[in-house]
Amino acid sequence: MKNIHKTVPTDTAKEKNIYPTAIADFNYSSTYTTSDCLNPSSVAKKYGISTKTAREIMHTFKNTNKYMLVNGHKRAIIINIKGKHGPFLHPLATSIFEKYLQKIKG
């Protein structure tokens, strides 16, 4: 898979740790902070699964280069945040994660 272009945040967005997002068909905010992204333990708490299961699913998404289309642009479902350890679930990808959990549970 080829690398995709990343949006370049403005200087004020860098200072406030806010990164821009594109318009999607579902509920969204025009900006997200790093606290809006979910780490494996918060994903496990939100969906009632074990942390190990959440981490395995997130690593599967990351290793297979799963992405979502937001306004015609590719966006990664699992992101890395500079200065923080571990994978994080993108705030717009929660519905995709829920559908995957329903598929696994049957």
Side-chain angles (χ1 to χ4, degrees), residues 3 6 9 11 15 18 22 29 33 36 42 45-46 49 54 62 66-67 69 72-73 85 90 95 105-106:
N3 290 336
K6 297 181 180 178
D11 292 333
E15 291 172 4
I18 298 173
S29 172
T33 60
D36 293 331
S42 57
K45 185 177 178 182
K46 182 176 181 176
I49 57 176
K62 182 73 173 176
K66 296 290 182 187
Y67 64 90
L69 289 176
H73 300 283
H85 180 68
H90 194 283
S95 61
K105 291 180 180 179

Side-chain angles (χ1 to χ4, degrees), residues 12 18 20 26 30-31 35 37 42 51 56 62 66 71 73 87 92-93 103-105:
T12 56
I18 298 173
F26 35 86
S30 59
T31 56
S35 62
C37 300
S42 57
T51 306
E56 288 174 356
K62 182 73 173 176
K66 296 290 182 187
N71 221 16
H73 300 283
L92 294 177
K103 183 179 175 183
I104 289 175
K105 291 180 180 179

